[in-house]
Amino acid sequence: MKGKNLFICVDDEESVLISLKEQLRNSFGDSFAYETAESADEVLEILEETENPDETIVMIVSDWLMPGMKGDELMIKINDKYPKIKKIMLTGQANPESLECAKSEGKVDIIITKPWNKENLVEAIKSLLKI
């Protein structure tokens, strides 16, 4: 993907991904490209295949509870390799220790509880990206 800044949405539920992508596209239009992933491994693969992830991928919005790797572990891995990428975690079930770990070690910028409010999510993204 060349030229366009990328948002990646991660959730193991396809309906959540469709909703997230639609809300982001409705709010930000063609200013960004939108990619989805159904697992942490899939996101890591996208990052590996992207030429300059720290410059191209501007935002990852990830669920916490996913099969395999949880969202806090994913955010730590992403932050270790790509510290410039902004990170938002959506959760309805994370325990306080995992959320604290996501913030302190994964450098998650904002944690939003599910079900999320579209306006809150959009405002969070705007504030993180300063747009």
Side-chain angles (χ1 to χ4, degrees), residues 6 15 52-53 89 91 102 107 131:
L6 181 63
S15 61
N52 294 309
M89 184 173 295
T91 182
K107 304 297 185 230
I131 54 176

Side-chain angles (χ1 to χ4, degrees), residues 47-66:
L47 289 166
E48 290 296 322
E49 293 172 357
T50 302
E51 201 169 319
N52 294 309
D54 248 349
E55 294 170 20
T56 309
I57 299 169
V58 294
M59 175 76 57
I60 294 180
V61 179
S62 176
D63 186 22
W64 175 75
L65 185 61
M66 297 182 288

Side-chain angles (χ1 to χ4, degrees), residues 3 10 12 15 17-18 32 38 40 44-45 47 56 62 76 79 88 107 110 113 116 122:
V10 193
D12 59 312
S15 61
L17 289 176
I18 291 167
F32 300 93
E38 293 185 21
L44 296 173
E45 201 173 290
L47 289 166
T56 309
S62 176
I76 291 168
N79 189 65
I88 293 177
K107 304 297 185 230
I110 296 174
T113 56
W116 71 92
V122 169

